Amino acid sequence: MDPYIREHNIERNDIANAGTVASLTKRALKQRGLSREFIKQVTIGVYEAEINVVIHSYGGTANVAIDDDFVEITFQDKGPGIENIEQALQAGYSTASSYAIENGFGAGMGLPNIQAVSDEMDLQSSENGTYLRIKFNIKEDSYEH
Ligand SMILES: Nc1ncnc2c1ncn2[C@@H]1O[C@H](COP(=O)(O)OP(=O)(O)OP(=O)(O)O)[C@@H](O)[C@H]1O
Ligand SMILES: [Mg+2]
């Protein structure tokens, strides 16, 4: 199948549209015949990463690439960055704003969940922004049968 490549902008604090990248990616994966279980893992990862850009950053982009062998999504935002990545990866750690908490976020489970569902995760951050790449390998049993 032809590779699927999309770039999306993600706006700061735009909770109303958060989830758009996840749902468009989900649709593309369905069209390629991937299994519900595989799609669920990818959707969880993309959704959590997308929400993080919305609620913790000044805005950014998501690049989605789907090929025969993998799904890879890279998120790049404009800061303020993560001071201590090791700490941020710990379950329950959160600096979510009261606005984010009022909207149901801030359990400190997004990054641990992304790590759990993905095959590869690369997280880099400075005060200029955060880069997150997550990858899911597509195997024979990733398809609906
Ligand atoms: N893109 C980002 N920019 C800046 N800080 C971030 C970013 N993503 C995560 N963080 C930091 O890492 C912490 C942990 O993120 P994680 O997604 O695990 O939890 P959360 O977003 O606070 O809560 P939850 O995901 O459960 O709603 C965040 O509280 C925030 O301090
Ligand atoms: Mg989160």
Side-chain angles (χ1 to χ4, degrees):
M1 252 189 155
D2 285 345
Y4 170 96
I5 309 222
R6 294 288 186 280
E7 177 166 343
H8 305 276
N9 287 315
I10 303 176
E11 304 293 333
R12 177 185 197 180
N13 287 332
D14 188 10
I15 288 176
N17 288 307
T20 303
V21 181
S23 62
L24 291 173
T25 303
K26 183 178 185 173
R27 188 190 301 171
L29 294 170
K30 266 189 195 162
Q31 281 171 358
R32 296 172 88 89
L34 288 148
S35 71
R36 283 168 59 159
E37 187 52 36
F38 180 85
I39 293 172
K40 190 172 143 193
Q41 305 297 307
V42 177
T43 307
I44 289 170
V46 175
Y47 181 73
E48 291 296 345
E50 181 181 6
I51 292 287
N52 279 352
V53 175
V54 172
I55 67 173
H56 301 301
S57 92
Y58 304 145
T61 56
N63 280 277
V64 183
I66 309 174
D67 215 323
D68 288 335
D69 302 328
F70 64 86
V71 182
E72 188 174 57
I73 312 97
T74 55
F75 297 85
Q76 175 68 61
D77 70 47
K78 302 191 205 86
I82 301 173
E83 230 177 81
N84 183 335
I85 287 185
E86 210 181 307
Q87 185 179 43
L89 287 168
Q90 280 169 20
Y93 176 81
S94 178
T95 62
S97 65
S98 48
Y99 171 68
I101 292 167
E102 279 161 22
N103 283 280
F105 306 109
M109 287 311 296
L111 290 174
N113 284 337
I114 294 167
Q115 201 163 32
V117 296
S118 63
D119 291 304
E120 272 178 48
M121 170 175 173
D122 180 13
L123 177 59
Q124 295 169 36
S125 195
S126 76
E127 66 275 12
N128 297 320
T130 298
Y131 168 87
L132 172 66
R133 181 181 63 85
I134 52 178
K135 193 171 178 184
F136 300 83
N137 298 326
I138 298 177
K139 292 163 258 144
E140 256 171 62
D141 72 355
S142 307
Y143 289 93
E144 203 72 73
H145 42 245

